[in-house]
Amino acid sequence: MSRGVRVQPRGAVRPGIRLGIPLAALVAALVAGGLVLLAAGNDPIEAYRTMFDSSMNGVNAWTRTLTLATPLTLTGLAAAIAFRMRVYNIGAEGQLYMGAIATSGLALWLPADTPSLVMLPAIILAGAIAGAVWAAFAAVPRALLGADEIITTLMLNFVALSFMNYLIFGSMSFWRDPERPVPQGLALPESAELPILSGRLHWGIFVAAGAAIGLWLLMQRTTWGFDLRTIGDSEAAARYAGMPVAARIIVVLGISGALAGLAGAVEVSGVTGRLDPKSLAVDIGFTGIVVAAVARTNPLGVVPVAVFLAAITTSGSSLQTVGVQSEIVLLLQGLIFLSVTASEFFVTNRVETPRIRLRSAPPEPEGAGA
Amino acid sequence: MSDPASAVGTPGGAAVLAGRGLTKEFYGVRALDEVDFDLVAGEVHGLLGENGAGKSTLCSILAGLYRADAGSVLLDGEPLELRSPIDAGKVGIGMVYQHFRLVSSFTVAENVALGMKRRRTSRRQLETEVAELADVHGFEVDPTAQVWQLSVGEQQRVEILRQLYRGARVLILDEPTAVLAPQEAERLFEAVRQIADQGRAVVLVSHKMREILGHTDRVTVLRHGVNAGSGITSDLDVTDLRQMMFGTSDHDPAPRRDSHHEDAGRPVLRVTDLRVTGDRGVPAVHSATFSVGRGEIVGVAGVAGNGQRELHEALAGLRAATGSVVIDDIECNGRTSRQRAAAGLSYIPEDRLGTALAPGLPLDHNVVLKSYRRPPHSRLGFLRRRRIQETTEDLTDAFDVRGARKGLQVSLMSGGNLQKAIVGREVTGPHEVLVTAAPTRGLDLAAAGAVRDHVLAERAAGRGVLVFSEDLAEVVDLADVLLVMFQGEIVGRFARDEVDVDHVGLLMTGGAEELT
Amino acid sequence: MNDTVLVLSIASAIVTGTPILLAALGEIVTERSGVMNLGVEGMMLVGAVAGFWAGRGTGSLLLALVVGGIAGALLALVHALLAVTLRVDQTVSGLSLVIVGTGLSAYVGTIGDDPLLQSASGITVSPLFPEAMRDLPGVGPILFGHDIVVYISWIAVAGAAMVLFRSNVGLSLRAVGEDAAAADAAGIPVVRYRYVATAIGGFAAGVGGTYLSLAILGTWQEGLTAGAGWIAVALVILAAWRPLLALIGAYVFGALRGLGFTLQIADVEVPSDFLAMIPFIAAYLIVIAASANPRWARRLKGPADLARPYAREAR
């Protein structure tokens, strides 16, 4: 008599399923991307091999990948901590710009002969603070008035982008190099540059890795993280338990903004060496949302996912050599995002077709209310 | 009596609706096990069983909401494929759920017309039709009123009207009296009888034997998802029904022990002139003043929606209020819920999953939901997971909480076990007052009994207990002092030996003026 | 001549606001059914690329709009699958739609021997009414000066308002969004309503994106919506899920987007970067102001079951 598909919650999910199903979804997304390439007349195998070679094969490739993975980890963490509490900060993009502006501004303002030991902590802290302050413009109205943070953080992105463009392209600001006729940011002093490990890979990677571990400890092991997990699951239960919900929302959005600002800070100090809107406005903030979602908002999961997505992104330019438009990487990111998001359903539920469903066990003594 | 085949057969007249071998499982638990059921036109058919016996599941299958895993539904002897409530509605089967399915921001008329196939009627015309139909059945309902403005009893009438408006031949009422005052229930039974006399068949679901005996023609009893017997009501008495419901004819609740605490009677919760505003911005509680003494259970009776929820939420600090709330000599109004808990307040809200518990998190998280900041569960802001685990194990042992597994989200545990866990959490640890709302709602008899025993144990230990319940029998059974709420006011106060259920019922429905 | 500046500004605001209006109107229908689709920006982009491609190929504006609409609807159905059937977090699902839409449109627009990028559409969008009517003083340019799409959008606003608030279907749709369990019990097919409403939202966004690329910009470029989809999402909230208010709001945002043009005529010099900020600052401030006012905020609650997945057998 029973027809169709039956869906049952799995209950406690085994780690094999928790990891295996999103991984299967990732593969499915890559296959779908391959089909798109095929339809466009490209050879998907060749394209994927090129992508692998340019991002994961050899020291140079890994250096490039990890250089991009550094800010991506930070924006991924920014999204993860907020999403975990079901507060949707999608303003990492703008918070990153503001971080970059503050970091470069302070680096230019401080005397050029300030020792690195003072300069670097100061400017990186400035970037984090600027990101947090920019997030606060959304956090305070959200916590006190309930103003939709999705809309406000997003609107603030566009404002921050225009502001950054104005500083370099629209005016003769403090940030702009007055010597050059073509608009360009003024180069930071050497003391404001993060030490290089290899190629363009800089010390920022330790900042990112440290942030991931610290955030994981905070979420899983502290009473503060206990509050966050409760609020994220049910605000009513958190209020019932006496947790200060509004304060936590403000602080979490602040931390989220600070992490995004940090991403901007390490990009300026480690990679661009100046306020350079063209190389900062490359969707690092938005991709952070993809990172967080694919990592299922787990801070430790953010790191490998950021590396993987960085690998896909950096390989875009090399695809031109085999005749594939680099825009495919954007599509791949989207497909991965979509597919892993959809897979969440299969992580939490068992889907059975009637044919393979086994006859169930006899009823347990406790009755099931319906 | 356990063999359904031995039950009294179908009386004269063919069954309009029948179930054969109906079976349904939820998450591996069999809620319904090969149940047969017959319904004849013109009868009021009682469906009796304790909570969790499968009554709601059976009704939901007959109404097309659930699909049976096995078995069939027959209408006029023909097999019926019910894929949804739409299919059921088309063939004239209508159900009124325990939790009403009305859109609260829509008007009565809109709710009555909702989901009906296109008919070219103007709003005015529809309202007239609804008003006429209501008149015929003696229902006083304003078709233009928005549903959220109506009392629970009025909302129930809208639900019934809706089914009649659609021409239901079979009307299924799931625990219709659970939310009504006694006098309202009597009016409902009169209406039900009239509906059946028009040739419709009515299924009346209840766990109260007295209701079934007094107001039905035939009865079917469910026990643990199995048909435990059926028969003509007038041939049966309380002993027979009890035998079928529980498999035993003696079933006495635990005796009630008096408190011998030294401070017995000294007020531990004092509420003075408390005023609370409701969700829609209108006053929900007007000037409530009462106190709860040590070793005393104060019960609050009332029909749902008369300010009880706002009152206990205000006491717990979840809702702003003016006036005074003194917990164990500490003035708490204006303080946070955490400060009130520290002053000695334990609180069991109505809403288990979502308020008392974070539904998506595991049991250990929920067990320390209020104590995680204190030793031994944390130190210097770091959680001590082993201690949390130990506390959880102690609590599941002491309060007989079953079904928890490591990492299992509590929303997948049964209601009875969840409530035992909540009660366990709230009565363990330092506290002076327990405020509890609808403590046994939806629980099966064993779980309800356990919860009731814990409430009595609180009293025996010299704590003050405040019990809110819409189940008048339950609150009368528990309370030393009974308060009655109506439209945000405390309209009556009775000592235990002065309680007159009819009088209380009258007060619950606004009959205070007539008496004084 | 100052009159003319005002009249022309209003007329231009109407045109600039039309893509936002179409997208917001669709999202109102979607959200009224209880589905929140934040992927409007992505659906507009996909609509734009498909519509531009169809328009360039056929030379027909109407055909281009239909193709763009269908492309938007197809992407919206992906959201419906995730949000309604698979019951994933609708915020996350909507965001994934934005990224997919951005990636897909950017890729499709640049591949092939004759990519859309930097090519001409070959479509001229002409006003619907004769010159005599367009030249009427004052009302002429505002009421009669537009192309057919503007009038279609007006009909769509009126139609949406009528259907939502005056019809049986609208009553059912709103019931699904207010209380899916109640709607289900009343025999309304909740899932079907939500899929259809989501597809309608995608179609409208796709049409809006097509109109933006073909009629307003005249070219296709990567990320051409530049936040218009997000403005539409904000507008749905600000308009309290009402089509007529969305019309007014869309034209206000249209005016703000076109402010540069107006100020240029009025000889006021403002850096272009600040002009670009204005609609976004306005949306930001209005959302906060609305939330701060209790009476307004209560109206801004939206459908009670918005973004809540519905599963019948959940206990």
Side-chain angles (χ1 to χ4, degrees), chain B residues 326-396:
Chain B
V326 176
I327 298 165
D328 201 24
D329 294 332
I330 302 169
E331 172 60 55
C332 283
N333 201 27
R335 302 221 179 176
T336 65
S337 51
R338 188 171 275 167
Q339 286 167 325
R340 290 172 202 234
L345 180 77
S346 277
Y347 174 46
I348 302 173
E350 283 171 284
D351 175 30
R352 285 168 208 152
L353 278 172
T355 302
L357 301 167
L361 296 172
L363 186 66
D364 54 355
H365 186 108
N366 279 296
V367 162
V368 297
L369 193 64
K370 286 177 165 176
S371 58
Y372 67 102
R373 284 160 67 93
R374 291 195 302 267
H377 300 139
S378 64
R379 193 168 52 189
L380 301 172
F382 280 88
L383 298 169
R384 302 172 78 188
R385 299 193 301 159
R386 188 166 305 157
R387 295 301 173 85
I388 292 173
Q389 203 51 48
E390 283 167 15
T391 302
T392 307
E393 281 161 19
D394 289 350
L395 187 132
T396 49

Side-chain angles (χ1 to χ4, degrees), chain A residues 11-273:
Chain A
V13 180
R14 284 182 286 119
I17 285 171
R18 188 160 286 292
L19 280 174
I21 287 181
L23 272 176
L26 197 125
V27 172
L30 292 179
V31 170
L35 292 176
V36 170
L37 285 169
L38 206 60
N42 295 113
D43 178 358
I45 309 279
E46 190 193 7
Y48 281 138
R49 185 180 298 136
T50 310
M51 288 176 76
F52 177 78
D53 283 344
S54 69
S55 64
M56 292 188 176
N57 199 355
V59 174
N60 285 340
W62 271 107
T63 305
R64 265 200 306 277
T65 296
L66 292 178
T67 306
L68 181 60
T70 300
L72 261 188
T73 301
L74 290 167
T75 54
L77 292 173
I81 185 174
F83 279 37
R84 172 61 72 93
M85 215 172 74
R86 286 199 206 160
V87 179
Y88 296 99
N89 174 18
I90 46 180
E93 196 71 30
Q95 291 142 17
L96 181 148
Y97 303 154
M98 290 320 245
I101 291 168
T103 296
S104 52
L106 186 64
L108 294 172
W109 183 76
L110 287 173
D113 55 1
T114 310
S116 280
L117 264 177
V118 178
M119 177 69 102
L120 283 175
I123 61 171
I124 286 177
L125 190 67
I129 291 172
V133 168
W134 198 241
F137 278 99
V140 174
R142 162 67 168 86
L144 302 184
L145 306 172
D148 189 322
E149 78 280 7
I150 297 174
I151 303 295
T152 54
T153 53
L154 204 108
M155 295 300 141
L156 290 170
N157 282 343
F158 291 101
V159 176
L161 177 64
S162 292
F163 182 58
M164 182 169 70
N165 283 335
Y166 171 75
L167 292 181
I168 299 302
F169 303 114
S171 66
M172 291 307 296
S173 76
F174 177 64
W175 281 261
R176 180 159 157 181
D177 189 342
E179 308 287 310
R180 291 171 185 263
V182 183
Q184 190 185 349
L186 192 56
L188 306 189
E190 222 164 277
S191 59
E193 285 176 10
L194 279 167
I196 295 291
L197 290 171
S198 152
R200 294 168 74 197
L201 186 62
H202 53 84
W203 276 52
I205 192 167
F206 299 120
V207 176
I213 294 167
L215 209 57
W216 182 82
L217 278 174
L218 205 58
M219 302 271 278
Q220 293 300 321
R221 292 281 190 266
T222 68
T223 55
W224 193 83
F226 190 98
D227 287 0
L228 251 61
R229 283 180 282 144
T230 312
I231 295 168
D233 191 70
S234 162
E235 240 182 82
R239 284 183 209 284
Y240 163 78
M243 296 171 187
V245 176
R248 291 289 179 272
I249 287 174
I250 292 178
V251 172
V252 161
L253 275 175
I255 292 179
S256 175
L259 287 162
L262 211 51
V266 300
E267 275 300 276
V268 164
S269 170
V271 179
T272 64

Side-chain angles (χ1 to χ4, degrees), chain B residues 395-422:
Chain B
L395 187 132
T396 49
D397 288 349
F399 291 88
D400 189 31
V401 179
R402 292 179 218 170
R405 267 181 296 149
K406 194 173 185 306
L408 179 74
Q409 59 184 73
V410 293
S411 61
L412 297 178
M413 290 170 61
S414 78
N417 283 312
L418 292 180
Q419 187 71 338
K420 282 190 277 187
I422 297 166

Side-chain angles (χ1 to χ4, degrees), chain B residues 80-227:
Chain B
L80 189 61
E81 280 273 297
L82 291 177
R83 287 202 196 80
S84 69
I86 311 172
D87 290 358
K90 276 183 196 150
V91 296
I93 302 170
M95 175 153 169
V96 175
Y97 297 89
Q98 206 172 341
H99 299 286
F100 302 144
R101 307 283 170 95
L102 297 171
V103 182
S104 60
S105 57
F106 283 12
T107 67
V108 169
E110 283 174 335
N111 269 289
V112 168
L114 196 61
M116 302 256 315
K117 281 287 160 240
R118 202 169 244 302
R119 274 185 41 190
R120 295 246 163 241
T121 44
S122 70
R123 182 175 297 198
R124 181 86 40 87
Q125 196 182 340
L126 173 71
E127 284 163 359
T128 316
E129 282 179 28
V130 172
E132 280 167 6
L133 188 68
D135 269 355
V136 169
H137 293 90
F139 292 165
E140 290 156 31
V141 187
D142 172 10
T144 61
Q146 291 192 330
V147 163
W148 64 268
Q149 300 168 311
L150 304 182
S151 76
V152 171
E154 288 170 318
Q155 292 186 21
Q156 187 175 59
R157 278 166 239 153
V158 177
E159 284 272 19
I160 296 172
L161 270 183
R162 166 151 83 175
Q163 298 307 336
L164 297 176
Y165 187 76
R166 284 150 206 255
R169 299 161 60 200
V170 174
L171 184 64
I172 304 170
L173 305 174
D174 189 8
E175 295 272 5
T177 61
V179 293
L180 300 181
Q183 285 83 356
E184 282 182 312
E186 287 304 319
R187 280 180 63 189
L188 172 72
F189 291 132
E190 283 168 27
V192 163
R193 176 53 63 196
Q194 193 204 350
I195 291 166
D197 287 346
Q198 294 168 342
R200 305 176 211 255
V202 181
V203 179
L204 187 69
V205 179
S206 180
H207 64 277
K208 295 173 184 162
M209 287 178 279
R210 212 167 48 103
E211 281 179 9
I212 296 291
L213 285 173
H215 303 282
T216 64
D217 303 311
R218 283 197 306 143
V219 58
T220 295
V221 180
L222 290 181
R223 182 171 82 229
H224 297 322
V226 174
N227 185 337

